[in-house]
Amino acid sequence: MLNTYMSYNPPHLDQALVWLNLDPGLRDYTAGTSNVHNWKNALNVDEVYTQTNSARRPLDTGSAYSFDGGDWLGSGAGHILDTSDGGWTVAIRILKDDWADNDAFIGDDTSNDSFIRNNSNIGIFLKGYSSSLSAISNKGLAWDSTLNNSQYYNLIITCDSSGENFAFVDGTKQAATPSWPDNTYDILMDEVGAKNGNAMQLEGDIQEVFIFNTHLTDTQCVDIDEYLKRKFIAV
């Protein structure tokens, strides 16, 4: 259940680049429909995640934006999350129709060099790029246990300035902590629901997204999780 939009203030917004939420003032519909044409960054409303193809726009169900396996929104903002400069964090509240399908949650909308997707139902798959080395690296973060289809989860992936990656599922830190080869590997995040344009489109629902240009501590990650739970789970 979705609680009142304006009742809860997210923690650590001073360290965030992007906050995508369901506030009606932050989206535009395709005329005569409930399909989302534009999704505005609440921290900079001039930065818009958009879709020019009306057939590829997610549906506002009233409690989430639903992506049907052909939908995605891109901003072209070019947010490079610099691992060496304090690390980065991505948090997303997401439901997947089938965790066996490998779908990108968020990624670069112009290349295949960086994205975050599920790795079947065993964990998260990260792809990063080192411009200094002109090299790509792939890393998997295994779940501690499998996830259920058609159930919402708060997923948080954070990388520290050394290049070590960590994941939280509903506030629980997962055991796997793989590292990039070095801290020159960064990710570029400016597309939601797919990566590299129309590749690996998501089949599922998204309720909220945060992108931070810093590594969040364990306590801070739990703060984000608790905020999402308060906002979206009735008490």
Side-chain angles (χ1 to χ4, degrees):
M1 178 180 291
L2 177 64
N3 286 320
T4 304
Y5 290 123
M6 305 306 292
S7 298
Y8 305 102
N9 296 317
H12 314 304
L13 274 186
D14 59 322
Q15 300 175 79
L17 287 172
V18 175
W19 176 26
L20 300 176
N21 65 62
L22 300 180
D23 187 324
L26 296 172
R27 51 102 174 113
D28 298 315
Y29 286 155
T30 305
T33 77
S34 295
N35 293 96
V36 179
H37 181 189
N38 297 317
W39 197 2
K40 301 171 187 176
N41 176 5
L43 304 179
N44 176 8
V45 295
D46 292 329
E47 181 180 305
V48 181
Y49 288 72
T50 190
Q51 175 56 264
T52 57
N53 186 337
S54 61
R56 294 186 180 273
R57 295 171 182 166
L59 176 68
D60 183 355
T61 66
S63 61
Y65 293 165
S66 183
F67 295 73
D68 68 3
D71 304 327
W72 56 273
L73 299 168
S75 71
H79 286 308
I80 298 174
L81 305 185
D82 188 339
T83 297
S84 66
D85 187 21
W88 51 264
T89 304
V90 173
I92 185 167
R93 182 165 173 83
I94 189 169
L95 172 154
K96 269 184 53 65
D97 295 345
D98 187 350
W99 283 99
D101 296 335
N102 293 327
D103 301 335
F105 313 150
I106 193 165
D108 182 350
D109 64 0
T110 59
S111 82
N112 193 40
D113 289 344
S114 59
F115 57 84
I116 299 174
R117 67 164 172 84
N118 64 298
N119 186 16
S120 189
N121 201 350
I122 62 173
I124 286 285
F125 184 90
L126 307 176
K127 190 171 189 178
Y129 179 74
S130 171
S131 58
S132 63
L133 299 175
S134 297
I136 290 171
S137 180
N138 301 312
K139 291 297 170 185
L141 286 83
W143 308 134
D144 291 350
S145 59
T146 56
L147 306 186
N148 297 322
N149 295 336
S150 301
Q151 176 179 324
Y152 280 104
Y153 290 94
N154 299 333
L155 303 182
I156 301 173
I157 303 94
T158 187
C159 180
D160 67 20
S161 59
S162 74
E164 187 171 8
N165 295 286
F166 309 88
F168 290 75
V169 178
D170 283 346
T172 299
K173 189 176 185 180
Q174 307 297 284
T177 59
S179 295
W180 301 116
D182 60 44
N183 68 357
T184 65
Y185 286 81
D186 305 322
I187 60 174
L188 194 156
M189 300 283 105
D190 54 13
E191 180 175 5
V192 177
K195 55 95 174 177
N196 195 21
N198 59 344
M200 287 191 175
Q201 296 103 317
L202 172 68
E203 290 188 64
D205 297 351
I206 293 175
Q207 291 184 318
E208 200 146 327
V209 179
F210 292 96
I211 299 175
F212 299 87
N213 62 348
T214 189
H215 165 66
L216 295 186
T217 66
D218 290 3
T219 298
Q220 290 172 318
C221 287
V222 171
D223 290 343
I224 298 296
D225 175 77
E226 290 179 348
Y227 153 79
L228 291 169
K229 286 174 178 173
R230 289 195 306 271
K231 184 171 183 179
F232 290 102
I233 301 174
V235 293

